[in-house]
Amino acid sequence: MIKSISSFRIYFLVCIITFFYASCNKDSNSGNNNIVNGIIIKESVDGCTYLIKLEDDKLLEPTNLSSFNVTLKDGQLVKFSYKINTTNGSICMMGQIVDLTYIADR
């Protein structure tokens, strides 16, 4: 009886440690937290507001651009970092949906 209680405690402790380790916030963007350069694009298509165009012409749809103090005008050069957002859909559907982690005027 005592041996089975000790085994249960060890098993329970291993499960708890595994749960906390697995629930840690991990970066899934493999490098997208680096600061990159882009240009703010004012898009007039229904459902779109501002997009960010990368140097390789890829478009990003930031979900939280208004949360930052940055100049919002067409053609504004910016430097920023982001994480890819895989949980939200897009009405605009013109670029990759991202959450900005940093943005500033260049």
Side-chain angles (χ1 to χ4, degrees), residues 29-30 32 36-41 51-62 78 80 82-85 94-98:
N29 287 342
S30 63
N32 275 347
V36 294
N37 294 322
I39 302 171
I40 292 183
I41 305 294
L51 304 172
I52 300 177
K53 184 177 179 180
L54 296 175
E55 292 176 329
D56 65 358
D57 292 334
K58 180 178 176 184
L59 292 174
L60 303 177
E61 292 181 47
V78 292
F80 64 102
Y82 63 95
K83 291 187 177 187
I84 294 172
N85 181 320
M94 290 192 66
Q96 175 80 50
I97 301 170
V98 297

Side-chain angles (χ1 to χ4, degrees), residues 10-53:
I10 292 172
Y11 175 75
F12 183 73
L13 182 62
V14 168
C15 288
I16 295 294
I17 291 170
T18 304
F19 172 76
F20 282 113
Y21 177 75
S23 65
C24 290
N25 188 11
K26 296 179 184 78
D27 178 23
S28 62
N29 287 342
S30 63
N32 275 347
N33 284 330
N34 295 329
I35 294 177
V36 294
N37 294 322
I39 302 171
I40 292 183
I41 305 294
K42 171 67 173 144
E43 190 55 60
S44 59
V45 175
D46 285 345
C48 295
T49 53
Y50 291 98
L51 304 172
I52 300 177
K53 184 177 179 180

Side-chain angles (χ1 to χ4, degrees), residues 53-72:
K53 184 177 179 180
L54 296 175
E55 292 176 329
D56 65 358
D57 292 334
K58 180 178 176 184
L59 292 174
L60 303 177
E61 292 181 47
T63 60
N64 59 340
L65 186 57
S66 62
S67 300
F68 295 90
N69 186 18
V70 64
T71 304
L72 294 177

